[in-house]
Amino acid sequence: MPGTLALLSVLFSLLHITEGQTFSWGPCPDPPVQENFDVTKYVGKWYEIEKLPASFEKGICIQANYSLKENGKIKVVNQELLSDGRINQIEGEAVQADNELAKLGVSFYWFMPSSPYWVLSTDYENYSMVYSCTTFIWLFHVEYAWILSRTPQLQPETVERLKNLLRSYKIDTEKMRPTDQINCPPEM
């Protein structure tokens, strides 16, 4: 019984850590990614339209900008407008997997392992759907999903089609929330 209590205590602690994220029991789903992914078409600015909750995103006007580096890696710059009017920015680096180019690993700190950044679907010019998931001790997983657009708004039909695609991969979209992209500062 003490071992059970210890395990429950650890699980409770992990659930507290993942507050603001979406967690589910069992291992991560393994959805297919964008076929023939072309990172040169993907680079540029993307606006966040909807997402599963992420504790590391606290603001509005959230956007990401990707650019190719000379070393073949991808520079990632994420920005958001905080409630006090400051622009919060973080810079990281993404690396493509050798065998599936739409599966990237993104790292924002040199001492942290990279996190999955899987491009499940994109037309490069209008929308992108990104998924990230990490399994913890084979018991549960923490997942993120983002619907991105090249413009601050995306047709509702496109958003619904992408959410339907996520659901078809057994990814729950109930907790997805829209990102406010109204009245954002032009300097972002």
Side-chain angles (χ1 to χ4, degrees), residues 124-171:
Y124 302 101
E125 296 175 8
N126 299 293
Y127 71 86
S128 177
M129 184 171 61
V130 176
Y131 181 67
S132 179
C133 189
T134 303
T135 298
F136 289 92
I137 55 175
W138 302 283
L139 294 176
F140 68 94
H141 60 274
V142 176
E143 62 189 348
Y144 306 94
W146 296 270
I147 294 174
L148 309 174
S149 175
R150 290 291 190 183
T151 61
Q153 307 298 320
L154 189 60
Q155 293 294 323
E157 305 81 37
T158 303
V159 172
E160 193 54 37
R161 182 173 54 78
L162 294 171
K163 288 167 87 171
N164 283 336
L165 190 59
L166 283 170
R167 287 189 282 270
S168 76
Y169 300 144
K170 308 290 187 245
I171 299 166

Side-chain angles (χ1 to χ4, degrees), residues 93-138:
E93 189 173 74
V95 178
Q96 290 180 283
D98 292 330
N99 54 345
E100 289 188 83
L101 297 180
K103 288 186 176 183
L104 296 94
V106 178
S107 180
F108 291 96
Y109 304 101
W110 64 268
F111 55 88
M112 296 290 290
S114 65
S115 298
Y117 181 101
W118 293 6
V119 180
L120 302 186
S121 181
T122 186
D123 69 353
Y124 302 101
E125 296 175 8
N126 299 293
Y127 71 86
S128 177
M129 184 171 61
V130 176
Y131 181 67
S132 179
C133 189
T134 303
T135 298
F136 289 92
I137 55 175
W138 302 283

Side-chain angles (χ1 to χ4, degrees), residues 19-144:
E19 189 176 319
Q21 272 78 250
T22 302
F23 88 95
S24 301
W25 294 108
C28 291
D30 190 20
V33 294
Q34 176 77 31
E35 291 184 18
N36 304 313
F37 182 70
D38 185 347
V39 72
T40 61
K41 290 181 182 178
Y42 194 78
V43 295
K45 184 182 280 193
W46 290 95
Y47 296 86
E48 184 181 276
I49 302 301
E50 283 201 26
K51 68 175 173 218
L52 285 175
S55 63
F56 49 84
E57 292 183 345
K58 306 229 184 282
I60 62 172
C61 304
I62 299 171
Q63 55 187 252
N65 202 328
Y66 307 103
S67 58
L68 293 176
K69 297 173 72 170
E70 287 184 21
N71 64 5
K73 297 179 181 180
I74 301 154
K75 179 180 176 181
V76 179
V77 178
N78 290 345
Q79 292 184 314
E80 64 183 339
L81 181 63
L82 300 175
S83 59
D84 63 6
R86 290 181 301 124
I87 295 174
N88 183 34
Q89 177 176 304
I90 188 166
E91 186 174 318
E93 189 173 74
V95 178
Q96 290 180 283
D98 292 330
N99 54 345
E100 289 188 83
L101 297 180
K103 288 186 176 183
L104 296 94
V106 178
S107 180
F108 291 96
Y109 304 101
W110 64 268
F111 55 88
M112 296 290 290
S114 65
S115 298
Y117 181 101
W118 293 6
V119 180
L120 302 186
S121 181
T122 186
D123 69 353
Y124 302 101
E125 296 175 8
N126 299 293
Y127 71 86
S128 177
M129 184 171 61
V130 176
Y131 181 67
S132 179
C133 189
T134 303
T135 298
F136 289 92
I137 55 175
W138 302 283
L139 294 176
F140 68 94
H141 60 274
V142 176
E143 62 189 348
Y144 306 94

